[in-house]
Amino acid sequence: EPEVTQTPSHQVTQMGQEVILRCVPISNHLYFYWYRQILGQKVEFLVSFYNNEISEKSEIFDDQFSVERPDGSNFTLKIRSTKLEDSAMYFCAIKVGTDTQYFGPGTRLTVL
Amino acid sequence: EDKVVQSPLSLVVHEGDTVTLNCSYEVTNFRSLLWYKQEKKAPTFLFMLTSSGIEKKSGRLSSILDKKELFSILNITATQTGDSAVYLCAGDEGAQKLVFGQGTRLTINP
């Protein structure tokens, strides 16, 4: 299984602050995804990123969210002004082969 | 709207029992159906199914897809306490995103 790391493992922030979550795949991949899982709820798609562009985004992914791959390896998710309801586990995923997506260990975001 | 529904939501069995987990889906531009196991944090990949009627097996786990009935099952035989987890089913929508079900929480009692 391809290795994907995410940092930090846990982020605590105050409401209104900006956070940046990072995803580092061990080898080169073209397809990246962010998902989130609010405690006790289902995993929800946020955004897909292919060839350094957003290819699809969900209704959750509003103007407060952005993604980029600044240095060709790290893949980041930025939330500009966090809200209480942004508290969740955020998972990065990469696609290998045709359709299989492999998930990183996740970042737990807590907004106070 | 795309939808994936899993049943049961929760299942408690004794070690050694066989379990069947169900997943029905309505996903536009459907490409494949994936099963994941979620223990503490991240979903870990189990199976990807693209063709109807072809069973995939990995040890005590197996899965099959019915594209006519829009349905998949995951079987676990001779369950062990280490099988306790939430099992997630997801439909791949046009290779751009996975649509997840709410999961089945499986508890194996010794």
Side-chain angles (χ1 to χ4, degrees):
Chain A
E1 189 166 308
E3 199 170 330
V4 181
T5 60
Q6 290 186 240
T7 58
S9 57
H10 191 190
Q11 173 93 47
V12 181
T13 190
Q14 295 290 325
M15 192 168 56
Q17 295 296 303
E18 174 183 286
V19 294
I20 297 176
L21 311 183
R22 290 185 171 79
C23 172
V24 185
I26 297 303
S27 53
N28 281 331
H29 296 279
L30 292 176
Y31 288 90
F32 296 86
Y33 307 81
W34 283 102
Y35 293 83
R36 79 170 184 190
Q37 186 176 32
I38 295 170
L39 187 64
Q41 297 187 24
K42 62 173 71 175
V43 177
E44 300 174 289
F45 168 78
L46 292 178
V47 66
S48 59
F49 192 80
Y50 168 67
N51 209 20
N52 294 323
E53 287 184 352
I54 290 175
S55 49
E56 187 168 345
K57 56 185 180 180
S58 71
E59 291 175 355
I60 303 167
F61 195 89
D62 61 22
D63 292 344
Q64 293 301 310
F65 291 86
S66 62
V67 289
E68 62 177 5
R69 203 172 173 209
D71 57 8
S73 60
N74 291 310
F75 179 50
T76 62
L77 174 69
K78 183 193 290 186
I79 309 175
R80 269 181 262 283
S81 178
T82 49
K83 303 188 281 276
L84 295 176
E85 54 265 38
D86 293 327
S87 294
M89 282 291 291
Y90 287 81
F91 295 109
C92 167
I94 57 171
K95 190 168 77 165
V96 177
T98 50
D99 293 329
T100 307
Q101 291 187 27
Y102 293 92
F103 286 75
T107 292
R108 178 170 297 285
L109 176 65
T110 302
V111 183
L112 303 175
Chain B
E1 187 183 324
D2 294 337
K3 189 168 60 173
V4 175
V5 178
Q6 294 185 242
S7 64
L9 294 181
S10 180
L11 186 58
V12 182
V13 300
H14 289 292
E15 205 167 18
D17 288 351
T18 292
V19 297
T20 297
L21 310 183
N22 305 298
C23 175
S24 64
Y25 64 90
E26 293 175 31
V27 175
T28 53
N29 301 316
F30 175 82
R31 286 168 62 104
S32 57
L33 192 290
L34 294 93
W35 284 95
Y36 292 87
K37 179 182 182 182
Q38 186 174 32
E39 294 179 85
K40 291 185 180 162
K41 280 194 173 180
T44 54
F45 173 74
L46 293 174
F47 296 111
M48 185 184 78
L49 303 148
T50 53
S51 302
S52 265
I54 298 174
E55 185 183 54
K56 291 217 171 174
K57 279 182 74 76
S58 176
R60 297 176 294 101
L61 278 68
S62 63
S63 184
I64 198 160
L65 176 68
D66 185 333
K67 290 172 80 171
K68 185 179 173 188
E69 299 298 326
L70 307 183
F71 192 81
S72 176
I73 60 171
L74 175 69
N75 279 320
I76 309 175
T77 59
T79 52
Q80 302 171 356
T81 54
D83 295 327
S84 294
V86 175
Y87 289 84
L88 304 174
C89 166
D92 187 307
E93 192 272 346
Q96 296 304 328
K97 67 181 182 187
L98 296 179
V99 180
F100 280 86
Q102 66 275 58
T104 293
R105 180 173 297 279
L106 177 64
T107 303
I108 311 296
N109 287 327

PDB file of all heavy atoms in Angstrom, chain A residues 22-33:
ATOM      1  N   ARG A  22      -1.124  19.458   5.980  1.00  0.00           N
ATOM      2  CA  ARG A  22      -0.181  18.997   4.957  1.00  0.00           C
ATOM      3  C   ARG A  22      -0.262  17.505   4.713  1.00  0.00           C
ATOM      4  O   ARG A  22      -0.467  16.711   5.629  1.00  0.00           O
ATOM      5  CB  ARG A  22       1.249  19.367   5.367  1.00  0.00           C
ATOM      6  CG  ARG A  22       1.524  20.837   5.297  1.00  0.00           C
ATOM      7  CD  ARG A  22       2.975  21.183   5.584  1.00  0.00           C
ATOM      8  NE  ARG A  22       3.227  22.578   5.285  1.00  0.00           N
ATOM      9  CZ  ARG A  22       2.894  23.598   6.075  1.00  0.00           C
ATOM     10  NH1 ARG A  22       2.306  23.367   7.222  1.00  0.00           N
ATOM     11  NH2 ARG A  22       3.153  24.843   5.726  1.00  0.00           N
ATOM     12  N   CYS A  23      -0.038  17.150   3.463  1.00  0.00           N
ATOM     13  CA  CYS A  23      -0.071  15.757   3.019  1.00  0.00           C
ATOM     14  C   CYS A  23       1.202  15.523   2.219  1.00  0.00           C
ATOM     15  O   CYS A  23       1.515  16.316   1.319  1.00  0.00           O
ATOM     16  CB  CYS A  23      -1.303  15.554   2.151  1.00  0.00           C
ATOM     17  SG  CYS A  23      -1.398  13.966   1.316  1.00  0.00           S
ATOM     18  N   VAL A  24       1.920  14.470   2.554  1.00  0.00           N
ATOM     19  CA  VAL A  24       3.162  14.186   1.851  1.00  0.00           C
ATOM     20  C   VAL A  24       3.146  12.743   1.356  1.00  0.00           C
ATOM     21  O   VAL A  24       3.325  11.815   2.144  1.00  0.00           O
ATOM     22  CB  VAL A  24       4.393  14.388   2.753  1.00  0.00           C
ATOM     23  CG1 VAL A  24       5.680  14.190   1.941  1.00  0.00           C
ATOM     24  CG2 VAL A  24       4.369  15.766   3.384  1.00  0.00           C
ATOM     25  N   PRO A  25       2.928  12.549   0.065  1.00  0.00           N
ATOM     26  CA  PRO A  25       3.036  11.191  -0.461  1.00  0.00           C
ATOM     27  C   PRO A  25       4.501  10.807  -0.602  1.00  0.00           C
ATOM     28  O   PRO A  25       5.341  11.662  -0.883  1.00  0.00           O
ATOM     29  CB  PRO A  25       2.361  11.285  -1.829  1.00  0.00           C
ATOM     30  CG  PRO A  25       2.518  12.717  -2.219  1.00  0.00           C
ATOM     31  CD  PRO A  25       2.560  13.523  -0.951  1.00  0.00           C
ATOM     32  N   ILE A  26       4.804   9.548  -0.402  1.00  0.00           N
ATOM     33  CA  ILE A  26       6.194   9.116  -0.435  1.00  0.00           C
ATOM     34  C   ILE A  26       6.730   9.122  -1.868  1.00  0.00           C
ATOM     35  O   ILE A  26       7.886   9.434  -2.114  1.00  0.00           O
ATOM     36  CB  ILE A  26       6.346   7.720   0.203  1.00  0.00           C
ATOM     37  CG1 ILE A  26       5.951   7.798   1.670  1.00  0.00           C
ATOM     38  CG2 ILE A  26       7.763   7.195   0.038  1.00  0.00           C
ATOM     39  CD1 ILE A  26       6.726   8.796   2.499  1.00  0.00           C
ATOM     40  N   SER A  27       5.897   8.793  -2.815  1.00  0.00           N
ATOM     41  CA  SER A  27       6.367   8.809  -4.203  1.00  0.00           C
ATOM     42  C   SER A  27       5.478   9.729  -5.023  1.00  0.00           C
ATOM     43  O   SER A  27       4.486  10.241  -4.530  1.00  0.00           O
ATOM     44  CB  SER A  27       6.366   7.399  -4.784  1.00  0.00           C
ATOM     45  OG  SER A  27       5.100   6.812  -4.614  1.00  0.00           O
ATOM     46  N   ASN A  28       5.834   9.946  -6.251  1.00  0.00           N
ATOM     47  CA  ASN A  28       5.084  10.881  -7.091  1.00  0.00           C
ATOM     48  C   ASN A  28       3.712  10.359  -7.466  1.00  0.00           C
ATOM     49  O   ASN A  28       3.562   9.209  -7.860  1.00  0.00           O
ATOM     50  CB  ASN A  28       5.863  11.155  -8.382  1.00  0.00           C
ATOM     51  CG  ASN A  28       6.973  12.138  -8.149  1.00  0.00           C
ATOM     52  OD1 ASN A  28       6.878  12.986  -7.274  1.00  0.00           O
ATOM     53  ND2 ASN A  28       8.026  12.032  -8.924  1.00  0.00           N
ATOM     54  N   HIS A  29       2.724  11.199  -7.297  1.00  0.00           N
ATOM     55  CA  HIS A  29       1.368  10.864  -7.718  1.00  0.00           C
ATOM     56  C   HIS A  29       0.744  12.076  -8.381  1.00  0.00           C
ATOM     57  O   HIS A  29       1.143  13.202  -8.123  1.00  0.00           O
ATOM     58  CB  HIS A  29       0.520  10.441  -6.504  1.00  0.00           C
ATOM     59  CG  HIS A  29       1.014   9.186  -5.862  1.00  0.00           C
ATOM     60  ND1 HIS A  29       0.724   7.941  -6.357  1.00  0.00           N
ATOM     61  CD2 HIS A  29       1.808   8.987  -4.794  1.00  0.00           C
ATOM     62  CE1 HIS A  29       1.310   7.029  -5.607  1.00  0.00           C
ATOM     63  NE2 HIS A  29       1.973   7.625  -4.657  1.00  0.00           N
ATOM     64  N   LEU A  30      -0.205  11.821  -9.230  1.00  0.00           N
ATOM     65  CA  LEU A  30      -0.850  12.920  -9.938  1.00  0.00           C
ATOM     66  C   LEU A  30      -2.185  13.310  -9.321  1.00  0.00           C
ATOM     67  O   LEU A  30      -2.594  14.454  -9.398  1.00  0.00           O
ATOM     68  CB  LEU A  30      -1.064  12.539 -11.401  1.00  0.00           C
ATOM     69  CG  LEU A  30       0.200  12.400 -12.246  1.00  0.00           C
ATOM     70  CD1 LEU A  30      -0.161  11.928 -13.659  1.00  0.00           C
ATOM     71  CD2 LEU A  30       0.957  13.733 -12.323  1.00  0.00           C
ATOM     72  N   TYR A  31      -2.866  12.318  -8.753  1.00  0.00           N
ATOM     73  CA  TYR A  31      -4.202  12.554  -8.227  1.00  0.00           C
ATOM     74  C   TYR A  31      -4.141  12.656  -6.708  1.00  0.00           C
ATOM     75  O   TYR A  31      -3.661  11.756  -6.031  1.00  0.00           O
ATOM     76  CB  TYR A  31      -5.142  11.404  -8.585  1.00  0.00           C
ATOM     77  CG  TYR A  31      -5.543  11.336 -10.029  1.00  0.00           C
ATOM     78  CD1 TYR A  31      -4.800  10.600 -10.945  1.00  0.00           C
ATOM     79  CD2 TYR A  31      -6.679  11.995 -10.481  1.00  0.00           C
ATOM     80  CE1 TYR A  31      -5.176  10.523 -12.273  1.00  0.00           C
ATOM     81  CE2 TYR A  31      -7.061  11.925 -11.808  1.00  0.00           C
ATOM     82  CZ  TYR A  31      -6.311  11.188 -12.697  1.00  0.00           C
ATOM     83  OH  TYR A  31      -6.681  11.114 -13.998  1.00  0.00           O
ATOM     84  N   PHE A  32      -4.727  13.746  -6.175  1.00  0.00           N
ATOM     85  CA  PHE A  32      -4.809  13.956  -4.736  1.00  0.00           C
ATOM     86  C   PHE A  32      -6.244  14.320  -4.361  1.00  0.00           C
ATOM     87  O   PHE A  32      -6.951  14.924  -5.171  1.00  0.00           O
ATOM     88  CB  PHE A  32      -3.895  15.106  -4.297  1.00  0.00           C
ATOM     89  CG  PHE A  32      -2.443  14.845  -4.535  1.00  0.00           C
ATOM     90  CD1 PHE A  32      -1.868  15.137  -5.763  1.00  0.00           C
ATOM     91  CD2 PHE A  32      -1.653  14.322  -3.526  1.00  0.00           C
ATOM     92  CE1 PHE A  32      -0.522  14.900  -5.976  1.00  0.00           C
ATOM     93  CE2 PHE A  32      -0.308  14.088  -3.736  1.00  0.00           C
ATOM     94  CZ  PHE A  32       0.253  14.371  -4.964  1.00  0.00           C
ATOM     95  N   TYR A  33      -6.601  13.962  -3.151  1.00  0.00           N
ATOM     96  CA  TYR A  33      -7.951  14.220  -2.680  1.00  0.00           C
ATOM     97  C   TYR A  33      -7.891  14.630  -1.212  1.00  0.00           C
ATOM     98  O   TYR A  33      -7.012  14.202  -0.467  1.00  0.00           O
ATOM     99  CB  TYR A  33      -8.830  12.966  -2.779  1.00  0.00           C
ATOM    100  CG  TYR A  33      -8.851  12.329  -4.143  1.00  0.00           C
ATOM    101  CD1 TYR A  33      -7.818  11.486  -4.556  1.00  0.00           C
ATOM    102  CD2 TYR A  33      -9.900  12.563  -5.023  1.00  0.00           C
ATOM    103  CE1 TYR A  33      -7.825  10.910  -5.812  1.00  0.00           C
ATOM    104  CE2 TYR A  33      -9.922  11.981  -6.282  1.00  0.00           C
ATOM    105  CZ  TYR A  33      -8.883  11.156  -6.664  1.00  0.00           C
ATOM    106  OH  TYR A  33      -8.899  10.578  -7.908  1.00  0.00           O
TER     107      TYR A  33
END
